[in-house]
Amino acid sequence: MSETVDGPRGSDADADLLEEELRQAAAVLDPLPPALLQIAVDAYALHDLDTKVAELTFDSLVDAVPVRGAEDPPRMLTFSAGEVTVDVEVTAHGLMGQLMPPQPARIEVLGGPRPGSSLTADEMGRFTAAPPSGPFALRLRTAGDVIETEWLRT
């Protein structure tokens, strides 16, 4: 192979051509599922610098003492972001939660490949939602903040 000032002739062009051919083959043979694309878009939502990430400060699966005789106890979660605390109870019947200090908020329950449900917390900060069928996160929009919890498995 002859040499040029930039190195072996055509090596960059050949690599670019090969990369493009591989991308086209992957798009045909193994296309990106729309559900996975939606998950990626939802995960990218945290690029908003105004969004606060709520830290999980309590999880009854890890932090609580087991109760004898309780067959299916609810999972209790507490998230904190600055001055806002979100307490959530997860059962087979649904999610129940409350924001502290009490305040109204719009809440999205994000859940994997399907669109998240949207609900409103009342003036006391209380909200309920259907049970998540898999991993979920909450995105809260209060009067002054956007807060998102980490993703958890039910």
Side-chain angles (χ1 to χ4, degrees):
M1 188 179 281
S2 64
E3 295 279 314
T4 65
V5 176
D6 296 327
R9 183 177 358 150
S11 64
D12 289 338
D14 291 344
D16 291 343
L17 181 61
L18 176 62
E19 181 180 357
E20 183 56 33
E21 288 176 1
L22 290 173
R23 285 182 194 277
Q24 290 176 4
V28 171
L29 299 173
D30 189 17
L32 183 65
L36 183 59
L37 178 60
Q38 185 60 47
I39 290 171
V41 169
D42 289 344
Y44 185 70
L46 281 179
H47 80 283
D48 184 359
L49 295 178
D50 293 334
T51 299
K52 295 181 180 178
V53 178
E55 177 185 359
L56 180 64
T57 57
F58 177 82
D59 184 346
S60 62
L61 289 181
V62 178
D63 303 319
V65 176
V67 176
R68 194 171 134 203
E71 292 180 24
D72 192 17
R75 184 174 182 187
M76 307 299 291
L77 304 164
T78 301
F79 299 96
S80 297
E83 300 296 319
V84 177
T85 300
V86 183
D87 290 316
V88 180
E89 179 178 311
V90 182
T91 69
H93 304 292
L95 298 176
M96 289 191 310
Q98 183 171 18
L99 281 71
M100 296 303 281
Q103 58 189 298
R106 286 186 313 140
I107 300 169
E108 294 173 76
V109 180
L110 308 173
R114 61 175 208 242
S117 61
S118 186
L119 50 126
T120 304
D122 64 16
E123 63 279 345
M124 297 299 293
R126 300 173 297 199
F127 60 92
T128 60
S133 61
F136 73 97
L138 301 175
R139 184 178 298 137
L140 302 96
R141 298 179 191 278
T142 65
D145 294 316
V146 177
I147 300 168
E148 190 162 318
T149 68
E150 63 183 85
W151 284 81
L152 294 168
R153 294 190 182 276
T154 54

